Amino acid sequence: MIKEKNNRGRLRWLVMVGVFSYLLPLTSYLFSSCARMGSPDGGWFDDDPPRILGCTPADQAVNVTTKKISIYFDEYIKLEDPTQSVMVSPPQLEMPEIKAAGKKIVVELKDSLKANTTYTVDFSDAITDNNEGNPLGNYTYTFSTGEQIDTFEVSGYVIDASNLEPVKGISVGLYDNLADSVFRKEPLMRIGRTDGTGRFVIKGVAPGEYRVYALQDADGDYKFSQKSEMIAFSHATYKPFSKPDVRQDTIWRDSLHIDNIEQVPYTHYYPDDIVMLAFQEVQTDRYLLKTERKEPNRIDVFFSYGHPELPVIKGLNFDADSAFIIESSPKNDTLAYWLRDTLLINKDTLEFSMQYMMTDSMGVLVSQTDTIEALAKVPYQKRLKSLQKAFEDWQKEQQKKKKKDLPYDSIYPVNPLSVKFSMSQSMNPSSVVYIEVPSPLQHMDTTAIHLYSKIDTLWYRAPFDFRQQDSIPRHYELIAEWHPDTEYSLEVDSAAFIDIYGLASKPIKQGIKIGSLDDFSTLTFELAGLRDTNIVVQLLDKSDKCVRQVRADKKGEATFFYVDPGTYYARAFVDRNENNLWDTGEYDADCQPEDVYYYSKSVECKAKWDVTQRWNLTSEPRNRQKPGEIVQQKADKEQKRLQNRNADRAKKLGIEYVKKIKIAK
C-alpha cells in the first residue's frame, strides 16, 4: 500500500515536472513577447491598407442618376485634404462635398450630371486607415450616366519650363475642341492632377482626338483667365488607345531582399509619355502692390509691372518739390524715394498724393491717384533715444579712458559710409570685384581707387575698369585683367565715396592672390541635337544655382575657363532674342518659353584637368534630364516609409521580417 502511494506520488511528480518543462519555454516566450510589445520599440505595425467592401452606386455602374456616392471600407479611415487631393472629372464648377465618416466616404456632387458621360472620382493616395496611416493607393471610383464606361487614359508629366522641376498639384486637362481659343472660353473637359513627380493620369477618356493643357487654376473656372496662372499648352493632338501588355511586379521579402518577380498581364493605355512645359506669363497688368517706409530716409513703392512714366508725387504735409532722389529698377516696377532733407527724415508721417498709370478692368492703362501715408517703421522719438543712449555710452567709455590715462576722443565720432566690397584674398582670373553702397552717392572719386600688381618684388599700377553694375542702383563692379599666380593690392582712399547725407567712406586695403593655372580646371561642352546656334550654357552648383554662364560658339562648344575644383551640373537654354536671359512664353501670341535642357549627369572638375563632355541636348525626354541630386521637388516618400516600417523594426530587433510586400514597378 505504501509502495503504491509512493509510486503514485512519484508519477504525479514526474507529470508535474513534464508539464512545467513544457510550459517553461512557452511562459518565457510569452513574457518575452509581452516585454517586446511593452518596450519602447513596440510591436509590429499593421501595414495592411483599408479594403473597399462596396459602393453605392456600384463602381463602374452605368445609367447613374444620383449625385450622392458612398464608398464602404472594412475599417475606420481618414481622407487627407479632400479639396486638394480628390479630383472629380469632368471638373465641377461648384465644389463637391467630400467627407469621411467612420468606415465610409460620402461624395455629393453639386453640378448637374451630364448625359452619356463617364465620371471619375480620383482619390489618388488620400485614403488611409485611421490607426497606422496605411494608404489605399491610387484609387479611382468610376460611373457613367450613359450605357457605357469610357476607359481610356492619357498620362505624362508636367515640368517647369524654366528649370525642368516637376510641378506638383497642377491640373491637366483635355479638349476635343481643337480651336486655339478654347482654353480661354471653355472649362477643361476631363482633368487629372500631378503628383510629387509631376506625373498626371487623366482617366475615363472616350475615343477621339484631343489637345492637352495644364492649368494652375486660381479662380476655379477651369480655363485660362488670369496671367498669374501657370499654364502649359501644345498644338500636338492625341488619340488615346490601349493594348495588352505585361509588367514585372516585384515581391519583396523585406526592404533589402527580393522574394520573387512575377509577370503580370495588364492593359496599357496610350499616350503615357506626354511632357508639358509649364510657365507663367509676364505680368503686364499694372497696379500698385504696396508702399513701405522701413527706413526713415526712404519710401519704397512696388508695382506689379513697370511703366516708362514715373508717378507724380504731390506732398500734402510737406513740400515734395526736390524732396527726393529717385531710384528705379530696370523695369520701373520698384521705385525708391530717398529723402534729402533731415527734417523730413525725422517726420514720422509723410502724406502725399501719387498719380500713376494703372490697368483697369478692361485691360486699358488709365490714370489713377491715391493718397498715401508713409509711416516710419521706427518713430523719431525712439530713434532719438537710441542715439542719446549711444552718446551716453560713448561718454562713459571716454571717462574710463581718462581715469586710466589712456588716449581718448574729444569729438563724438561720425559713423562712416559702410561700403561693401565682395572680394576675397584668393580669387580666380575670371573674378569680378563687386561694390555696394547703402545710399545714393553725392560724390564718387574713381581716382581714389588704386589697384597694384606685384611683379618680382616691386608693385606696379594695374589697369581696371570701374562701372555701374547692369543698371542696378548703388551697385558697381571693378573688372581687371587678373594674371594667374599674381599678387594684387586693392587700395581705396578715404572719402572715395560720399553719400547725399555727407557720410564718407573709410580707407580700405585688401590683398588679393590670383591662383595659378594649375589650381583650376577647364570644362568644355560639345553640344549636339539642335540646329539652333543661340545657345547659352550655365554652370550650376549643387543647389541648382547658376555660378557661371557662357554662350556657345558657332561650332557648338561652350567652354568655362578657370573653374574651381568641385562638382558641377549644367543647364542650357535657347536664347531666341539673344538677351542672355531666359524668357517665358505667352499664350495669346502662341509663343512657347525658351527651351531649357539639363546635362543628365554631374561633372567633376579637378585641378590641372581639362574636361570635355559631349552633350546631346535632345537625347533624353525633358522630364528625365535633370539630375535627381539637384531636383528640389522630391517625390512623396511617405508610402515607402510606411511599407518599410516592419522591416526596419525587424532589423532593429535583429530578426528577419518575413511579411511579403508587393510593389508594382
Side-chain angles (χ1 to χ4, degrees), residues 371 597 601:
T371 299
Y597 304 90
K601 296 176 289 186

Side-chain angles (χ1 to χ4, degrees), residues 549-583:
Q549 174 175 302
V550 299
R551 181 175 290 274
D553 61 21
K554 293 182 179 180
K555 295 180 181 180
E557 292 186 355
T559 301
F560 296 90
F561 298 100
Y562 311 121
V563 178
D564 292 321
T567 302
Y568 296 92
Y569 302 85
R571 174 173 62 214
F573 67 90
V574 179
D575 188 19
R576 293 195 300 252
N577 57 3
E578 300 185 35
N579 65 349
N580 290 319
L581 300 172
W582 178 84
D583 292 295

Side-chain angles (χ1 to χ4, degrees), residues 117-168:
T117 301
T118 296
Y119 280 78
T120 58
V121 184
D122 189 350
F123 291 92
S124 185
D125 57 357
I127 302 174
T128 63
D129 64 32
N130 190 60
N131 293 326
E132 300 291 353
N134 296 307
L136 175 62
N138 293 320
Y139 171 63
T140 301
Y141 171 86
T142 307
F143 71 89
S144 175
T145 57
E147 295 287 343
Q148 64 181 17
I149 296 285
D150 296 322
T151 59
F152 285 142
E153 297 178 4
V154 174
S155 58
Y157 295 86
V158 179
I159 54 178
D160 192 317
S162 66
N163 56 16
L164 305 194
E165 279 285 317
V167 180
K168 180 180 179 180

